[in-house]
Amino acid sequence: METRALSVNLREVKKNEAAKLRRQGQVPAVVYHKGEATVAISVEEISLNKLVHSSESHMIDLQYPDGKSVRSFIKDVQFDPVTDRVIHADFQLFSADEVVEMEVPIHLEGECPGVKIGGGKLQINVHTLPLKGKPEAMPEHFTIDVSVLELGQTLHIRDLQAIAPEGIQILGDADASVVSVVAPRKEAEAAAEGATAEA
């Protein structure tokens, strides 16, 4: 997984300070690590947006003004419900031998016969997967080959564990649907109507 550098500044936690930072193009954030005190920081909104809206996951070197640098990843992001701007971020520190949990984007590859031949629609039910493992084993994205999917078929989390990188565990409900090929709406409605008529 690629590591990106991100310049940060320490900030004071006080009333109205977060709103003031946002007006200045900064995003309030916190840095935490198990067993250590949480540190309040601010980051440039433009730089943070590039990481948040990337199609890849990254390890992040947080670089402080005094030259100190620490390795982290984005654990959580809060968005403004109206403007969709990033208004807060949580960074989690880690050490090389530590097992971490992080969300990794899904990438689909291959042509889906259920769509190309069957006329179905590819339905992506989740866009990220929660993974657990050591940082060096963590992929930038999780690739799923959809060329095996026929009309009406679904890939669940349990199906993907077999193709996960070595040392990586997919978290979440094993029965959760990740991607599926659904019948075209008219066909699905006709089938539902047929089932109702038979009943």
Side-chain angles (χ1 to χ4, degrees):
M1 182 178 286
E2 187 183 347
T3 300
R4 297 278 185 91
L6 184 66
S7 297
V8 304
N9 289 301
L10 294 171
R11 66 180 173 94
E12 291 181 63
V13 179
K14 56 187 181 184
K15 194 177 178 183
N16 299 327
E17 174 256 1
K20 184 181 174 184
L21 282 170
R22 292 184 190 113
R23 285 196 297 271
Q24 296 169 346
Q26 299 283 316
V27 178
V30 293
V31 181
Y32 63 91
H33 192 221
K34 197 174 179 180
E36 296 178 18
T38 299
V39 178
I41 62 168
S42 65
V43 299
E44 193 180 68
E45 184 179 2
I46 293 170
S47 300
L48 183 60
N49 278 339
K50 288 177 184 174
L51 294 168
V52 170
H53 297 295
S54 170
S55 61
E56 310 281 358
S57 288
H58 301 98
M59 297 300 176
I60 300 165
D61 265 339
L62 298 179
Q63 299 183 337
Y64 290 88
D66 63 2
K68 178 186 172 188
S69 176
V70 292
R71 294 184 77 197
S72 72
F73 60 91
I74 297 173
K75 187 66 176 177
D76 190 43
V77 178
Q78 292 172 30
F79 296 92
D80 184 291
V82 178
T83 64
D84 213 30
R85 284 176 65 184
V86 177
I87 56 172
H88 194 274
D90 291 2
F91 293 90
Q92 184 178 331
L93 303 183
F94 64 88
S95 53
D97 59 348
E98 195 173 343
V99 171
V100 298
E101 294 178 12
M102 66 186 293
E103 294 277 337
V104 172
I106 287 171
H107 279 206
L108 302 181
E109 68 173 21
E111 279 196 288
C112 183
V115 173
K116 191 177 180 184
I117 301 165
K121 183 185 175 192
L122 193 64
Q123 186 171 299
I124 303 164
N125 302 308
V126 294
H127 293 278
T128 61
L129 284 176
L131 305 183
K132 181 178 181 179
K134 292 198 173 178
E136 68 270 15
M138 202 63 72
E140 293 181 351
H141 58 261
F142 195 102
T143 301
I144 300 173
D145 182 3
V146 295
S147 63
V148 297
L149 285 178
E150 301 287 349
L151 192 62
Q153 289 188 321
T154 298
L155 286 174
H156 302 87
I157 282 182
R158 64 173 178 269
D159 304 317
L160 301 178
Q161 187 59 58
I163 60 167
E166 191 175 343
I168 293 294
Q169 178 190 351
I170 305 173
L171 303 175
D173 180 2
D175 293 326
S177 168
V178 177
V179 61
S180 51
V181 182
V182 294
R185 185 169 289 173
K186 285 179 183 175
E187 281 184 29
E189 286 171 1
E193 284 170 15
T196 307
E198 284 171 18

